[in-house]
Amino acid sequence: MPTVGSRASQRLALKQRHGPLNLGVLGASNILTPSQTPPSPLSPTAPSTFSVTSSRSSSVATPTNDADDLEEHSELEAPFSLGTHPAVVFVSDRLSDTTYTSRLRTVNVFDFDQTLFQSPLPNPALWDPSFLGTLTSWNYCGTGWWHNPGTLELGPEIEASCWEGWWNEEVVEKVRESSEDPGSLTVLLTGRNGPVFGQKLIEMVTRKGLDFDLIATKPTTVARIEDDAQHQQSLKPTKKASEALEKYIKVHTFSTKHEFLYNLLLEYPQIRSMHLWDDRPCQVAKFRQIGQEWLDNKMLDTFEITVVKEALLYLDQQREVSLVLAMVEANNHQVDIEKAGGPFLVAGVGALPRTRPELRDLNIWDPYETYVPQERLKIEVDLITQYTGVIFQEAVQKVIRDKIGSQTQSEWIDRPLSLRGKDLSGWTKSDDLHVTLCSRTAPAEFLESIGGLGATVLVEVEALGHYEGRLWAIKVKEMNLQDADHDQRPLHIVAPNGVIYSSLDALKSAYASHGPSPSTGSRPDSLSIPDATRTLYDHVDMNCLGHLVLAKDLVPHILMAYDRINGARAGDSKLIHEWEPLATSQGTPFPGRLVLVGTIGQRQLLGMKPSLSSSQRSVKAEVSLGHIIKNLLSNKDIPGKELGKLVKAVKEEMERLSVENRVANEERIATIAQEICDRVESMRMSAPTSAAGSPSSPTTSLSPSK
């Protein structure tokens, strides 16, 4: 692929790519993307990145090329072309060959994150859930996870292997098949910010040997607007702010993709078939809707979409902790800048793509939402207690996984009946098998009632249960020592070191010489990541037994696995109300008693230290949850009752994560709503349907409406 040459050619590329610059759209902001983006190997044009600087009282915008190019740029009205579309970071030389383009009849469009490539998300085994939303929102914690180049820096060894194990090889094969088909246009279309990630994406797919005709990104996350009468009439601000504050219009990922694909069909009207690969349920639902419109409008003859469902991968834990702590440090430095009167930090500022005349009445950029930068708050990272409960050593957890539900040891305990024989390889397995007794730090009185930190607990496996076939767990109870002499069933007691004993006397004898643990009855002084799960309580003290008492009226249980891809989440385990007896894979009752030796302890993860007053004040709702949910869903006419349920679910999750309904938290609230709406759409896609693309098939084929 050729590289960009002279500065003159770069200026020409800038003019060709962006057309006239509307200073009412692009205005002042802090630098959010690298001020000098490396030239991308493009043909025939090169990308441009705007380096935008601001104060709170002035608006100046200049491209990264010479400032005097701005006047020339604003006078040019270039014709519409995919090759000069601001979303495009790479275009193949083949598209300048009319013989090649005249043969195109199909376009295959591939998403990048969690579709073609298993891009890492923040690891929930490291971070307090309330902090995850802060990390992934683009206007928190520096520039946020998705605008930080370090989130695709997976380490020298992984990159030297060409990211082996991180590619979705099934989708990779589909890309190769498409690129080898002379009648197919092969497109990578991602919501990644182009100025930040364009060069990295080109490098990655090139090294993988993937031959795309087009690579298109999200050219901007927000665009600066002026507070004039025209915009006051056309936009519905969602934030209140003084006139001195900057104002931006948000650019939604789906709107960017929708607009680009519309341009593609207008550019190549001979294309009659489209096939998309994507992972996000809400976007899939919207793509199905616009695909149906294209079929009905005779722009396409066939439209297919394949839902990609892959297990999540994560960065090396130490690499991730270092990256996030650096993001926190950058955020806190930005707070100091703002307090001193300096500029705000807004990620991904750019200009909205010009709209073809044919598309101006289609409301592609709807919903129009404005964003006003909020003063940042300093983040103090601390260890946050997740729960107080019965913690099992890793050796005990291994026995649990080997003996319960593994389907390889017929004499032990099988899964719930409805899940036997099913492929659960895509399910998320709990990496912390435990029994929650109360959330967060236990009150002193409750802690005393369960025996105190460090107390030994004998936990007996009692039954199995599942919730809607998308999650399963083990029901447990405290072992009754008085029944030990009367119950004639074989006893299997799993000690902290993983050894299985056949009697309590054998367990006592084995641990008699160990002596009491120095941590018994007291909280450990410190916890390190990733070893915060358990505090090496490897002792057994039969004279200091704890109790299986729950703070709420719930069933004590151990979550084993859940189908995250199809909308289940770990917290759904409390919804299991029916339990079935333990049975072997032959269907016969399990003949023995399985007892697990655990310890009263606390799980702690890194998170954001809460403010002293946040839990004590009542906050008037400032953000419309219903408005956010409607923008996320494909069905804008959602019935009031269904919308009410979703609003309630968002409120409950906000309460769980300690997120107040304030304008400053709008992006975090939107992230919460996105996860809940995705879960709802996943459940809809998994439900039985008469249309093509049933739950057993990830691909949906649409037909024109009659």
Side-chain angles (χ1 to χ4, degrees), residues 431-443:
D431 62 353
D432 173 34
L433 300 177
H434 70 280
V435 183
T436 298
L437 300 182
C438 78
S439 60
R440 302 299 182 181
T441 302

Side-chain angles (χ1 to χ4, degrees), residues 122-134:
N123 191 341
L126 296 176
W127 309 106
D128 178 65
S130 64
F131 190 46
L132 292 176
T134 301

Side-chain angles (χ1 to χ4, degrees), residues 476-620:
V476 297
K477 65 180 181 179
E478 183 180 335
M479 181 186 181
N480 190 330
L481 298 180
Q482 296 179 350
D483 290 343
D485 296 331
H486 306 292
D487 196 319
Q488 299 302 312
R489 290 177 297 167
L491 191 58
H492 310 280
I493 304 177
V494 186
N497 60 4
V499 175
I500 300 177
Y501 296 94
S502 59
S503 69
L504 287 173
D505 289 338
L507 175 69
K508 293 176 183 178
S509 176
Y511 278 82
S513 60
H514 283 215
S517 168
S519 298
T520 299
S522 63
R523 174 175 174 169
D525 293 332
S526 64
L527 293 175
S528 60
I529 300 298
D531 295 326
T533 302
R534 55 199 58 83
T535 318
L536 299 182
Y537 292 120
D538 58 355
H539 70 291
V540 175
D541 186 354
M542 299 299 292
N543 297 316
C544 182
L545 289 179
H547 304 287
L548 212 58
V549 179
L550 273 66
K552 295 183 178 180
D553 187 20
L554 298 172
V555 175
H557 64 275
I558 301 172
L559 172 65
M560 294 296 290
Y562 58 99
D563 189 2
R564 181 197 61 82
I565 291 173
N566 285 314
R569 59 176 183 169
D572 293 339
S573 62
K574 66 178 180 292
L575 302 176
I576 301 176
H577 299 299
E578 296 183 3
W579 301 87
E580 58 190 68
L582 304 177
T584 67
S585 58
Q586 281 86 25
T588 58
F590 178 63
R593 300 173 66 192
L594 181 60
V595 176
L596 313 170
V597 180
T599 308
I600 299 295
Q602 295 175 331
R603 159 111 169 176
Q604 294 183 307
L605 298 177
L606 285 172
M608 188 163 53
K609 190 174 182 178
S611 61
L612 295 177
S613 59
S614 62
S615 61
Q616 301 172 353
R617 64 176 181 236
S618 176
V619 179
K620 181 180 178 181

Side-chain angles (χ1 to χ4, degrees), residues 148-225:
N148 191 310
T151 59
L152 274 184
E153 301 294 335
L154 307 188
E157 292 184 2
I158 293 175
E159 298 200 10
S161 71
C162 194
W163 301 273
E164 182 179 355
W166 290 80
W167 297 95
N168 184 338
E169 295 298 340
E170 291 185 9
V171 178
V172 165
E173 185 58 32
K174 294 296 182 182
V175 174
R176 298 193 195 282
E177 290 176 5
S178 177
S179 61
E180 292 170 1
D181 180 2
S184 293
L185 183 71
T186 309
V187 178
L188 179 64
L189 180 59
T190 174
R192 290 269 180 176
N193 183 272
V196 177
F197 292 101
Q199 184 70 21
K200 184 69 174 182
L201 294 172
I202 294 170
E203 174 199 347
M204 293 176 72
V205 299
T206 301
R207 288 184 55 194
K208 185 64 176 175
L210 300 180
D211 189 10
F212 286 99
D213 292 301
L214 287 165
I215 300 177
T217 61
K218 187 176 181 178
T220 180
T221 301
V222 289
R224 179 73 184 272
I225 60 175

Side-chain angles (χ1 to χ4, degrees), residues 337-348:
I337 292 175
E338 292 176 6
K339 285 185 175 180
F344 289 112
L345 177 66
V346 186

